[in-house]
Amino acid sequence: MNLSTLRNDIPAGIVVFLVALPLSLGIAQASGLPPFVGLLTGVIGGILVTLLSPSRYAVSGPAAGLVTIVVGAMETLGSFSLLLVALIMAGALQLIFGLLRAGRWISLVPGTVIQGMLAAIGILLIMQQVPVALGYQGEESLTALLAQGSELLSPASIVITLVALAILWLWTTAPIKRIRLMSFIPGPLVAVLWGSLAVVFGERMMPESLGNIPRIALPKFDSAEALGAQLSRPDWQGAWRNPSVYLIAVTLALVASLETLLSQEALKKLKSQTPAPSPDKEMRAQGVGNMLSGFLGGLPITAVIVRSSVNVNAGARSKVSILLHGVLLLLSGLLFSDLLNTIPLASLAAVLLYTGYKLAAPALFRAQWRQGLPQFAPFIITVGGIIVFGMLAGIALGLMAQLLCSTYKSHRNALQLSRYDDHYVVRFHQNLTFLHNPRLHSLLAQIPDNCVVIAEHDNADYIDPDVRAVLADFGAGAANRGIQLSRWPV
């Protein structure tokens, strides 16, 4: 680290902090937890995980992609304290994954399943945040809210949400991007600032409309005791005999590891590192971070590509920028709670709605459809499976669908029959097993009498005995049909 590095890292760290602050608060709010929990998680990810991570640019913290899992887990377990035990177990599993060098297996997860998982998370995030964006403070579902009518909605929250969404869209347009200064001011921060200003001035001008609008509620920390009182503790006694805790731990470990490793792969395309960061070391760092987050009462931690890309684009040169963002998150929670408490939940909901839209954009569905049914089917099955049955079941269904589609395409292309006048060529493009017998029977049945059949099997190093039996049966009857065989493999 030298002066030139600090000259780049300090501004980058400030920009990452400005992006991470509204996201951390919004993710905690979306999870049904106090906003302090989001800040705590961001601090652990920004400081502890950064110190252990092999990457100079990856920013870790609470991820919007895990909100639906957290919400579903708390509904299943009935308490945040039990979820913390599952989070500690998940961190331990990640640590074990790293020690067993399981990071290399990320390449086995099909891209269609990954895209389906992200799209499903986006849809669930939108469904969850729509009531918040409309100012509804009850606990009923989105369907129940729509059925009960507009009397439960807050016009002030709706206006704040719509303007915040417009700001987020405006920040992606070319005129704004061309202004260099604007590139250093994150759109989510501007959307949150708009909400705060609307609350501060609206309370004075229209207290009857904005006086009771839902907003952030951070406590004041006058002492170390006050800070300690805000930290939740895991409920060990209630967890051991609850099988749901173990299932949720496995789900958190797998999805958090998957999102982290995918973020690392995406980050490689933005900024190369020599040597490349080890995925196994990264999983160990994430595991330690999640274990500490569980002990202190935080949310699941992953490497987040949105914050990481902001870090790179802001010119970061080392880990100092990420560490600085973690320290700033800590200071904002300890010293500026009054300022943060002016943020309405509607503006945070807008940020999360926009995040969900980007994860499940219609363009993604169109792109998957254009790749054909063998690609689209596993994608849409993953989306539907996660929404209906949950994360692990949906991913398992997507993997099964991709395996069946890939197997079908592989078997269809393993054997080929071509005709040249009265000559037929049977080509074996790969090793053949008994699963290829139906396709082989179908092709051989198309060969007429009194012709020449040539077999090209140079690409098949292995031919299953059952396949050889089919070929032998065809060869035994070839002479009676006037068929001349050439290079027949039996």
Side-chain angles (χ1 to χ4, degrees):
M1 184 179 68
N2 51 44
L3 185 59
S4 62
T5 301
L6 287 177
R7 195 159 45 229
N8 290 276
D9 285 333
I10 291 176
I14 294 173
V15 172
V16 175
F17 159 72
L18 295 177
V19 172
L21 177 62
L23 288 176
S24 297
L25 296 173
I27 289 168
Q29 173 260 318
S31 302
L33 297 169
F36 169 74
V37 175
L39 290 178
L40 172 65
T41 309
V43 171
I44 296 173
I47 298 177
L48 176 65
V49 177
T50 300
L51 292 173
L52 299 176
S53 171
S55 175
R56 295 196 299 271
Y57 307 113
V59 182
S60 297
L66 293 177
V67 167
T68 55
I69 298 179
V70 171
V71 172
M74 286 196 295
E75 290 179 355
T76 301
L77 299 176
S79 73
F80 183 48
S81 298
L82 288 177
L83 175 62
L84 295 178
V85 177
L87 180 55
I88 294 171
M89 293 179 181
L93 284 175
Q94 286 184 295
L95 189 58
I96 294 172
F97 292 161
L99 294 173
L100 294 177
R101 303 184 64 184
R104 61 186 181 273
W105 298 109
I106 183 63
S107 59
L108 290 178
V109 181
T112 52
V113 175
I114 294 170
Q115 294 289 352
M117 180 190 76
L118 296 176
I121 288 171
I123 293 171
L124 290 171
L125 197 57
I126 290 172
M127 293 171 60
Q128 184 193 57
Q129 289 304 300
V130 165
V132 180
L134 299 177
Y136 179 60
Q137 301 184 52
E139 298 181 356
E140 285 84 355
S141 64
L142 174 60
T143 305
L145 170 61
L146 295 177
Q148 293 180 38
S150 60
E151 64 274 4
L152 301 175
L153 308 182
S154 167
S157 293
I158 295 174
V159 171
I160 289 175
T161 299
L162 292 177
V163 174
L165 288 173
I167 291 171
L168 292 168
W169 169 80
L170 184 65
W171 242 249
T172 64
T173 59
I176 293 295
K177 288 183 176 180
R178 282 195 292 265
I179 304 175
R180 181 172 175 80
L181 178 62
M182 293 299 189
S183 65
F184 294 100
I185 305 175
L189 179 68
V190 179
V192 169
L193 285 176
W194 142 251
S196 295
L197 292 174
V199 168
V200 170
F201 290 102
E203 280 185 328
R204 300 175 183 176
M205 299 167 54
M206 297 179 292
E208 66 283 351
S209 299
L210 291 169
N212 297 320
I213 190 170
R215 65 186 74 180
I216 288 294
L218 278 173
K220 289 187 177 181
F221 301 110
D222 301 326
S223 63
E225 290 77 12
L227 177 60
Q230 293 297 318
L231 302 178
S232 300
R233 294 289 183 264
D235 181 8
W236 296 100
Q237 293 182 348
W240 299 121
R241 298 181 181 179
N242 190 339
S244 297
V245 172
Y246 300 98
L247 179 60
I248 291 168
V250 173
T251 303
L252 286 173
L254 292 177
V255 177
S257 298
L258 185 62
E259 185 163 343
T260 291
L261 295 178
L262 290 175
S263 297
Q264 291 282 38
E265 290 298 313
L267 189 57
K268 290 179 183 177
K269 300 177 182 179
L270 296 177
K271 186 78 170 181
S272 61
Q273 297 184 57
T274 305
S278 165
D280 301 311
K281 290 182 179 178
E282 184 64 38
M283 277 207 290
R284 293 198 291 269
Q286 297 289 332
V288 173
N290 276 315
M291 290 176 70
L292 181 61
S293 185
F295 276 117
L296 295 181
L299 288 164
I301 293 173
T302 71
V304 187
I305 186 57
V306 174
R307 280 162 253 181
S308 302
S309 60
V310 168
N311 188 40
V312 169
N313 293 332
R317 302 284 296 276
S318 71
K319 291 184 178 182
V320 172
S321 63
I322 313 174
L323 293 171
L324 176 61
H325 120 274
V327 172
L328 291 175
L329 285 176
L330 176 63
L331 294 177
S332 67
L334 295 178
L335 304 179
F336 304 109
S337 59
D338 289 339
L339 182 62
L340 296 179
N341 285 342
T342 62
I343 299 174
L345 298 186
S347 59
L348 295 179
V351 173
L352 292 171
L353 285 172
Y354 192 73
T355 301
Y357 173 79
K358 289 193 294 183
L359 289 173
L364 173 62
F365 287 79
R366 291 195 297 268
Q368 294 293 326
W369 174 256
R370 292 192 188 105
Q371 294 183 40
L373 188 60
Q375 289 291 107
F376 184 75
F379 166 78
I380 201 67
I381 287 173
T382 303
V383 173
I386 290 175
I387 292 174
V388 176
F389 301 109
M391 187 65 65
L392 276 187
I395 292 174
L397 288 173
L399 288 173
M400 290 175 60
Q402 182 64 73
L403 182 61
L404 290 174
C405 290
S406 298
T407 301
Y408 173 76
K409 292 293 291 184
S410 174
H411 282 56
R412 291 286 297 178
N413 297 327
L415 296 163
Q416 181 183 11
L417 178 64
S418 302
R419 179 185 178 182
Y420 305 92
D421 295 328
D422 63 341
H423 285 63
Y424 287 80
V425 180
V426 181
R427 294 184 175 89
F428 301 168
H429 293 298
Q430 64 185 55
N431 296 337
L432 303 180
T433 70
F434 69 94
L435 296 174
H436 294 97
N437 275 346
R439 174 68 172 166
L440 180 59
H441 277 292
S442 174
L443 294 181
L444 294 179
Q446 299 175 31
I447 298 175
D449 298 343
N450 304 312
C451 65
V452 177
V453 179
I454 304 170
E456 293 185 0
H457 52 84
D458 295 338
N459 292 328
D461 296 326
Y462 172 78
I463 299 178
D464 192 274
D466 288 332
V467 178
R468 290 186 178 275
V470 174
L471 295 172
D473 289 342
F474 183 84
N480 297 332
R481 298 174 55 191
I483 296 175
Q484 180 182 346
L485 300 178
S486 175
R487 300 187 63 202
W488 205 243
V490 179

